Every structure is written in C-alpha cells, then in structure tokens.
Amino acid sequence: MSPGGGIRVETGKESGVAVVTLDRAAKHNAITLEMADRLAAVWREFRHDDTVRAVVVTGAGSAAFCTGIDRSVEVPQPSSPYTIDDPLISIGPKANDLWKPVVAAVEGMACGGAFYLLGEVEFLVAGEGATFFDPHTTYGMVSAFETIHMAQRMPFGEVARMALMGTAERISARRAYETGLVSELTETGGALDAARRAAAVIAAYPTEAVQGTVRALWSAQGSARAQALAHAPHLVTLGNLPADRQAELFTRRSGGHRLR
C-alpha cells in the first residue's frame, strides 16, 4: 500500500499484520487534515485486503504517539449551533467499519485527539515512558469525544480526573496499566515489537472467528457509546471558548505538569 499524507503503511503478507504509522515525528505526530483523510482511507482499504488480518497503529519517533490535531489546522464551522465539523471523527477503524483487530503501540505522549484513535483499538501496548493526558479544559475546550472514548476503557474516576485536570498532570504508563487503559507494559522503546507479536498471534487464527469476536466485544458497549457520542457535538458547541480566547489561554498556560 502506498504511503502518503503523513501516514506510513507497512504490510506483512506472511504474518498478516499491517503497521500504520503516524509519520510526523517532528510535530509530535499531530494530525493534519490530509492525515485524517488518509487514515480513513487506509482503514477502508484494509476492509478489502484479505492479506491483512490484524493491524498495529503507532507513532513515529519516541517523543509522542500523537498529540491530537495540529493546532495550525483551520476547520471552518457552519453557523448552525446544531452541527459541528470535526475532522477527527472518522480517523478510527470502527468509524470506517473495519472489524479486523487493531492494537496500538504507544511511546511518549498520547493526548487529546489521540484518543479518537486509541478509543477505537482493541487494546493498547505502551512503553514505560508513555504518558496520557487531555489538555482540553486547560485551554477552554470541552473534552467530549475524547472523554467518551476513554470512558469505555478507564474507571470513571480516572477518566474524570484526566479530563478535568487538563495539562496539570499526566498519567504515567504504569498508572495506565494499573487502571486497565494499557494491557501490556514494556521497557521504553519496546511497545511496537510487543504489539507486533500480539497482532501476529491474532492474525494466525481464522479471521472470521476473530472478526466475529471483535464485533461481539464492541456490541457490548455499542448502544451507550453511540448515545453518548450523539451528544458530543452539542456539548462542544455550547462549551468551547472562542478560538481567540483558546489561543490566549494556550499561550498563557503552556508549561509544567505533574506526573502520576
């Protein structure tokens, strides 16, 4: 599969495992509009590629898995208070009707819009140096889609604290493992290899049984998740500060954080 749009794709026809890499290490793998479109296209292409039976998604470099949408991206919004255009809504595999299992390999920071992706994988593998946080409230934005995704994976109190504390603290990989967000903890730099190994095991099993199991797992929380996500655009429209105030807060409050 050809690379493009800041997304690098490697397919292993023998192993049945494809690796999708967010490939903007210099920008902490922040997602551009082109990357968002490319990710959606990649997931849809995998639906029709029988040589791909499991997928690993990761970020280039060691500093970050992904830090959400690139802050330089401008997304014009409709004037109606009942709609919002969000380029990250369709970057995940489930949003594109892909039911082949996806494993995330996380090194460095994973924050904000990264949760659109992490919220739609089957499980996470993380290096010891990984950290998770949600900066939205710090900069006057509602954490709606991100929080809803993480509420399916973390205890309520943990996701509430992460969403409300903003940039004031980051969740360590060890804490994420203890609370169930991360399923396997590796030494720093080891997440991708561990995720590949897990994906290869799954890819070796009959794909119909695997995909049926994936669908069964997601159906267990599907209704509640769909209802919650339906409210998200309205909460964002109501609660977000104007863009100039967000920028002001970003300039004023960028700084230190506490790790737990």
Short mmCIF file of all heavy atoms in Angstrom, two decimals, residues 142-152 221-236:
data_model
loop_
_atom_site.label_atom_id
_atom_site.label_comp_id
_atom_site.label_asym_id
_atom_site.label_seq_id
_atom_site.Cartn_x
_atom_site.Cartn_y
_atom_site.Cartn_z
N VAL A 142 -14.18 21.89 25.48
CA VAL A 142 -14.89 20.75 26.07
C VAL A 142 -14.22 19.46 25.60
O VAL A 142 -13.99 19.25 24.41
CB VAL A 142 -16.36 20.74 25.64
CG1 VAL A 142 -17.07 19.47 26.13
CG2 VAL A 142 -17.07 21.98 26.17
N SER A 143 -13.90 18.60 26.54
CA SER A 143 -13.43 17.25 26.19
C SER A 143 -14.66 16.36 26.13
O SER A 143 -15.14 15.87 27.15
CB SER A 143 -12.45 16.73 27.23
OG SER A 143 -12.07 15.40 26.92
N ALA A 144 -15.20 16.17 24.94
CA ALA A 144 -16.42 15.40 24.77
C ALA A 144 -16.13 14.06 24.09
O ALA A 144 -16.22 13.00 24.71
CB ALA A 144 -17.45 16.20 23.97
N PHE A 145 -15.76 14.11 22.81
CA PHE A 145 -15.46 12.87 22.10
C PHE A 145 -14.34 12.09 22.80
O PHE A 145 -14.43 10.87 23.00
CB PHE A 145 -15.04 13.16 20.66
CG PHE A 145 -16.14 13.70 19.80
CD1 PHE A 145 -16.27 15.06 19.57
CD2 PHE A 145 -17.07 12.85 19.22
CE1 PHE A 145 -17.29 15.56 18.78
CE2 PHE A 145 -18.10 13.33 18.43
CZ PHE A 145 -18.21 14.70 18.21
N GLU A 146 -13.28 12.80 23.19
CA GLU A 146 -12.14 12.13 23.82
C GLU A 146 -12.55 11.45 25.13
O GLU A 146 -12.20 10.28 25.38
CB GLU A 146 -11.03 13.16 24.10
CG GLU A 146 -10.45 13.80 22.86
CD GLU A 146 -11.27 14.99 22.35
OE1 GLU A 146 -12.34 15.31 22.93
OE2 GLU A 146 -10.84 15.61 21.36
N THR A 147 -13.29 12.18 25.95
CA THR A 147 -13.71 11.63 27.24
C THR A 147 -14.65 10.45 27.07
O THR A 147 -14.55 9.45 27.80
CB THR A 147 -14.38 12.73 28.08
OG1 THR A 147 -13.41 13.75 28.36
CG2 THR A 147 -14.93 12.19 29.37
N ILE A 148 -15.55 10.54 26.11
CA ILE A 148 -16.48 9.43 25.86
C ILE A 148 -15.71 8.19 25.44
O ILE A 148 -15.98 7.07 25.91
CB ILE A 148 -17.53 9.83 24.82
CG1 ILE A 148 -18.49 10.87 25.40
CG2 ILE A 148 -18.31 8.61 24.32
CD1 ILE A 148 -19.35 11.58 24.38
N HIS A 149 -14.74 8.35 24.54
CA HIS A 149 -13.92 7.21 24.13
C HIS A 149 -13.19 6.59 25.32
O HIS A 149 -13.18 5.37 25.51
CB HIS A 149 -12.90 7.64 23.08
CG HIS A 149 -13.47 7.77 21.70
ND1 HIS A 149 -14.08 6.73 21.04
CD2 HIS A 149 -13.49 8.83 20.83
CE1 HIS A 149 -14.47 7.12 19.85
NE2 HIS A 149 -14.12 8.38 19.70
N MET A 150 -12.57 7.43 26.15
CA MET A 150 -11.78 6.91 27.26
C MET A 150 -12.66 6.34 28.37
O MET A 150 -12.23 5.47 29.12
CB MET A 150 -10.87 8.00 27.82
CG MET A 150 -9.72 8.38 26.90
SD MET A 150 -8.57 7.00 26.56
CE MET A 150 -9.16 6.43 24.96
N ALA A 151 -13.92 6.81 28.47
CA ALA A 151 -14.82 6.28 29.49
C ALA A 151 -15.18 4.82 29.23
O ALA A 151 -15.66 4.13 30.14
CB ALA A 151 -16.09 7.12 29.56
N GLN A 152 -14.94 4.35 28.01
CA GLN A 152 -15.16 2.93 27.70
C GLN A 152 -13.98 2.06 28.14
O GLN A 152 -14.08 0.84 28.15
CB GLN A 152 -15.38 2.73 26.19
CG GLN A 152 -16.31 3.73 25.52
CD GLN A 152 -17.68 3.77 26.14
OE1 GLN A 152 -18.30 2.74 26.37
NE2 GLN A 152 -18.15 4.98 26.42
N GLN A 221 -20.85 -2.58 24.34
CA GLN A 221 -20.90 -1.18 24.79
C GLN A 221 -21.41 -0.25 23.70
O GLN A 221 -21.41 0.97 23.87
CB GLN A 221 -19.52 -0.72 25.23
CG GLN A 221 -18.45 -0.84 24.14
CD GLN A 221 -17.06 -0.49 24.66
OE1 GLN A 221 -16.82 -0.50 25.86
NE2 GLN A 221 -16.17 -0.16 23.76
N GLY A 222 -21.87 -0.83 22.59
CA GLY A 222 -22.21 -0.03 21.42
C GLY A 222 -23.32 0.98 21.64
O GLY A 222 -23.20 2.14 21.24
N SER A 223 -24.42 0.57 22.26
CA SER A 223 -25.57 1.46 22.40
C SER A 223 -25.25 2.67 23.26
O SER A 223 -25.54 3.81 22.90
CB SER A 223 -26.76 0.69 22.99
OG SER A 223 -27.18 -0.32 22.11
N ALA A 224 -24.65 2.42 24.42
CA ALA A 224 -24.32 3.52 25.33
C ALA A 224 -23.32 4.46 24.68
O ALA A 224 -23.42 5.69 24.81
CB ALA A 224 -23.77 2.97 26.64
N ARG A 225 -22.33 3.90 24.00
CA ARG A 225 -21.31 4.72 23.34
C ARG A 225 -21.92 5.58 22.25
O ARG A 225 -21.62 6.78 22.14
CB ARG A 225 -20.23 3.79 22.77
CG ARG A 225 -19.07 4.46 22.08
CD ARG A 225 -17.99 3.42 21.80
NE ARG A 225 -16.93 3.94 20.98
CZ ARG A 225 -16.92 3.91 19.65
NH1 ARG A 225 -17.95 3.36 19.00
NH2 ARG A 225 -15.91 4.41 18.96
N ALA A 226 -22.80 4.99 21.43
CA ALA A 226 -23.43 5.74 20.34
C ALA A 226 -24.28 6.88 20.87
O ALA A 226 -24.26 7.99 20.32
CB ALA A 226 -24.26 4.79 19.49
N GLN A 227 -25.03 6.63 21.94
CA GLN A 227 -25.86 7.68 22.51
C GLN A 227 -25.02 8.81 23.06
O GLN A 227 -25.35 10.00 22.89
CB GLN A 227 -26.75 7.10 23.61
CG GLN A 227 -27.85 6.18 23.09
CD GLN A 227 -28.69 5.58 24.20
OE1 GLN A 227 -28.66 6.06 25.33
NE2 GLN A 227 -29.40 4.50 23.91
N ALA A 228 -23.93 8.47 23.73
CA ALA A 228 -23.05 9.50 24.30
C ALA A 228 -22.40 10.33 23.20
O ALA A 228 -22.34 11.56 23.29
CB ALA A 228 -21.99 8.85 25.18
N LEU A 229 -21.91 9.68 22.16
CA LEU A 229 -21.26 10.40 21.07
C LEU A 229 -22.23 11.31 20.33
O LEU A 229 -21.84 12.36 19.80
CB LEU A 229 -20.61 9.42 20.09
CG LEU A 229 -19.36 8.69 20.60
CD1 LEU A 229 -18.93 7.60 19.62
CD2 LEU A 229 -18.22 9.68 20.82
N ALA A 230 -23.51 10.95 20.31
CA ALA A 230 -24.51 11.80 19.65
C ALA A 230 -24.65 13.14 20.35
O ALA A 230 -24.99 14.15 19.73
CB ALA A 230 -25.85 11.08 19.61
N HIS A 231 -24.39 13.19 21.65
CA HIS A 231 -24.47 14.44 22.40
C HIS A 231 -23.22 15.29 22.26
O HIS A 231 -23.25 16.50 22.51
CB HIS A 231 -24.70 14.15 23.90
CG HIS A 231 -26.04 13.60 24.22
ND1 HIS A 231 -27.20 14.35 24.11
CD2 HIS A 231 -26.43 12.37 24.64
CE1 HIS A 231 -28.23 13.60 24.46
NE2 HIS A 231 -27.80 12.40 24.78
N ALA A 232 -22.10 14.67 21.91
CA ALA A 232 -20.80 15.35 21.96
C ALA A 232 -20.75 16.64 21.15
O ALA A 232 -20.25 17.66 21.65
CB ALA A 232 -19.70 14.38 21.53
N PRO A 233 -21.22 16.67 19.89
CA PRO A 233 -21.10 17.92 19.12
C PRO A 233 -21.81 19.10 19.78
O PRO A 233 -21.31 20.24 19.75
CB PRO A 233 -21.76 17.57 17.78
CG PRO A 233 -21.69 16.09 17.68
CD PRO A 233 -21.83 15.60 19.09
N HIS A 234 -22.95 18.86 20.39
CA HIS A 234 -23.70 19.95 21.03
C HIS A 234 -22.97 20.46 22.27
O HIS A 234 -22.94 21.67 22.53
CB HIS A 234 -25.10 19.46 21.40
CG HIS A 234 -25.79 18.73 20.29
ND1 HIS A 234 -26.00 19.29 19.05
CD2 HIS A 234 -26.30 17.48 20.21
CE1 HIS A 234 -26.62 18.43 18.27
NE2 HIS A 234 -26.80 17.32 18.94
N LEU A 235 -22.36 19.55 23.01
CA LEU A 235 -21.61 19.96 24.20
C LEU A 235 -20.39 20.79 23.82
O LEU A 235 -20.04 21.77 24.49
CB LEU A 235 -21.18 18.73 25.00
CG LEU A 235 -22.32 17.86 25.53
CD1 LEU A 235 -21.77 16.59 26.16
CD2 LEU A 235 -23.16 18.63 26.53
N VAL A 236 -19.73 20.41 22.72
CA VAL A 236 -18.59 21.17 22.24
C VAL A 236 -19.03 22.57 21.80
O VAL A 236 -18.40 23.58 22.14
CB VAL A 236 -17.90 20.43 21.07
CG1 VAL A 236 -16.84 21.31 20.41
CG2 VAL A 236 -17.27 19.13 21.56
#
